[in-house]
Amino acid sequence: MSEPPTSKRRLLVVEDEEHLAAGLKLNLELEGYDVTLAITAKEARQALVESEAFDALVLDVMLPDMDGFELCARLREAGNFVPVVMLTARSAAEDRVRGLEAGADDYMVKPFALDELLARVRSVLRRRAWDNRTTPEPEPKAAALEFGRAIVDFSTHEVNVHGERIKLTQLELDLLRYFSENPRRVISRQELLENVWKVRSAGSARTVDNFISRLRRHFELRPTQPKHFLSVRGAGYRFVPNGE
Ligand code: CA
């Protein structure tokens, strides 16, 4: 299904393999995108500093000066939440997990079908458009969450625990939001992977566990005796805003 962008969306493609980079640029331009190429992480960061107006990044993992995971993680740390589709050379689950933990929104394993990449780019842009649309007039229920000692503002990404400002990655926020929209319900790892990570992979259940540990470290008074992010043996997890 062809879905031409209404106004020209700006993409930054970070890829050091010349032929692939040129091919991506050409094809993305044919789809109606405005494409900037960077062949190193340094160039990419420069482009991002000079223009904050990119709608999405296509980011290769293997770059000559810095790997894509690190570049992505640094962007997120700096508060830049531009959608990122990572290009990984290996299909190792570990790479996918690393990419998602670094704050990437999606990933493609090389070699990939161009159609699939275009679909993923469209998909992250749609999610972005959705986020932007909900930002100016946020649903009060979805925009803020208070539980335990925490206050979370999903529209500004501001998180306070016991009066102290903490930083969450985009995925940690997305996971928390999903829990907040489904309080007290037992949610399977598979459901979380599909709705938060947007992947279908039984092998990445441990990723979910790692992220739950991170949420517990952030929010639980005693992470080993959680009151809000509860394990349900053999079933998944349950979020209890008022504490158990
Ligand atoms: Ca490369």
Side-chain angles (χ1 to χ4, degrees):
M1 193 167 58
S2 170
E3 220 174 279
T6 45
S7 64
K8 268 206 170 187
R9 304 293 196 87
R10 299 195 59 206
L11 303 181
L12 176 61
V13 175
V14 192
E15 169 61 76
D16 62 319
E17 286 158 56
E18 225 176 284
H19 291 294
L20 181 55
L24 286 175
K25 186 173 196 292
L26 176 69
N27 281 286
L28 289 165
E29 283 174 350
L30 287 173
E31 286 283 303
Y33 298 109
D34 184 356
V35 180
T36 301
L37 271 186
I39 59 168
T40 61
K42 193 180 168 200
E43 270 188 30
R45 299 181 81 184
Q46 201 162 355
L48 285 160
V49 168
E50 282 164 8
S51 164
E52 291 177 3
F54 290 107
D55 294 295
L57 257 68
V58 176
L59 176 59
D60 186 31
V61 167
M62 301 284 281
L63 296 167
D65 50 342
M66 178 191 291
D67 74 43
F69 300 126
E70 195 181 341
L71 179 60
C72 184
R74 285 194 189 188
L75 281 177
R76 299 311 190 220
E77 276 167 29
N80 186 330
F81 295 101
V82 62
V84 172
V85 178
M86 300 208 67
L87 306 178
T88 74
R90 291 160 295 171
S91 64
E94 195 187 311
D95 267 17
R96 292 201 292 268
V97 171
R98 267 192 84 188
L100 296 170
E101 286 188 349
D105 300 87
D106 211 340
Y107 60 87
M108 295 284 313
V109 177
K110 289 178 177 178
F112 51 82
L114 186 67
D115 278 358
E116 198 181 341
L117 177 69
L118 295 174
R120 304 256 171 138
V121 168
R122 279 198 296 270
S123 157
V124 296
L125 288 172
R126 262 201 303 276
R127 264 149 70 189
R128 163 99 156 173
W130 178 259
D131 284 349
N132 287 346
R133 198 169 60 188
T134 55
T135 302
E137 238 180 298
E139 294 270 329
K141 211 173 132 203
L145 167 69
E146 285 192 48
F147 71 98
R149 304 170 305 150
I151 303 168
V152 181
D153 187 329
F154 290 110
S155 58
T156 61
H157 295 178
E158 259 188 54
V159 183
N160 281 280
V161 179
H162 204 55
E164 201 173 314
R165 180 91 172 263
I166 63 163
K167 278 204 156 170
L168 295 193
T169 65
Q170 184 65 50
L171 265 164
E172 288 169 345
L173 272 172
D174 289 347
L175 180 58
L176 188 56
R177 185 196 284 257
Y178 195 77
F179 275 129
S180 76
E181 289 167 354
N182 297 277
R184 308 194 77 88
R185 183 163 75 76
V186 177
I187 306 173
S188 70
R189 290 174 179 80
Q190 193 58 39
E191 180 180 338
L192 291 171
L193 283 168
E194 287 182 20
N195 289 285
V196 178
W197 279 262
K198 317 281 181 196
V199 295
R200 286 170 175 274
S201 167
S204 34
R206 255 192 59 216
T207 307
V208 175
D209 299 340
N210 290 337
F211 271 78
I212 299 290
S213 298
R214 285 158 64 165
L215 289 185
R216 284 175 177 162
R217 282 200 299 274
H218 285 310
F219 295 109
E220 298 282 3
L221 200 55
R222 293 180 198 83
T224 53
Q225 295 163 355
K227 304 278 186 219
H228 301 289
F229 301 94
L230 306 180
S231 303
V232 181
R233 192 176 288 272
Y237 291 101
R238 204 155 71 88
F239 174 59
V240 183
N242 303 331
E244 193 78 320

